[in-house]
């Protein structure tokens, strides 16, 4: 709920996105790793990947049980519905 820190030679604090009520933190870390990895493989910088993963984590903790957001849910969280 405080966001994350990116350490890529410097330290950047990335505040939490889409401030949501934390329903269940199960799977949030896995979601961050998966989304950041996919973003990096797609050519994103470390900071871009972390920002995207930060949005995904906010969506993941807002639901009960493990499971990451869909691409559409992630898009809506970033650009709005």
């Amino acid at each position: 709920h405080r966001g994350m820190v990116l350490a890529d030679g410097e330290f950047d604090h990335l505040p939490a996105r889409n401030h949501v009520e934390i329903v269940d933190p199960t799977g949030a870390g896995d979601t961050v790793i998966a989304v950041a990895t996919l973003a990096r493989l797609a050519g994103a910088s470390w900071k871009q990947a972390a920002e995207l993963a930060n949005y995904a984590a906010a969506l993941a903790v807002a639901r009960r049980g493990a499971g990451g957001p869909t691409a559409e849910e992630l898009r809506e969280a970033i650009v709005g519905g």
Side-chain angles (χ1 to χ4, degrees):
H1 95 321
R2 293 186 190 132
M4 64 175 66
V5 172
L6 173 63
D8 63 346
E10 296 182 22
F11 289 96
D12 290 316
H13 175 252
L14 307 174
R17 298 294 176 192
N18 297 356
H19 297 284
V20 296
E21 179 183 345
I22 298 173
V23 175
D24 185 353
T26 303
D30 294 333
T31 298
V32 166
I33 292 167
V35 170
T37 299
L38 287 172
R40 288 288 294 156
L41 289 172
S45 68
W46 278 110
K47 184 152 188 175
Q48 291 168 328
E51 289 281 4
L52 189 62
N54 207 1
Y55 277 103
L59 293 169
V61 300
R63 62 179 64 158
R64 192 160 305 287
T70 65
E72 182 61 23
E73 289 171 328
L74 193 51
R75 187 194 69 76
E76 287 178 13
I78 294 168
V79 299

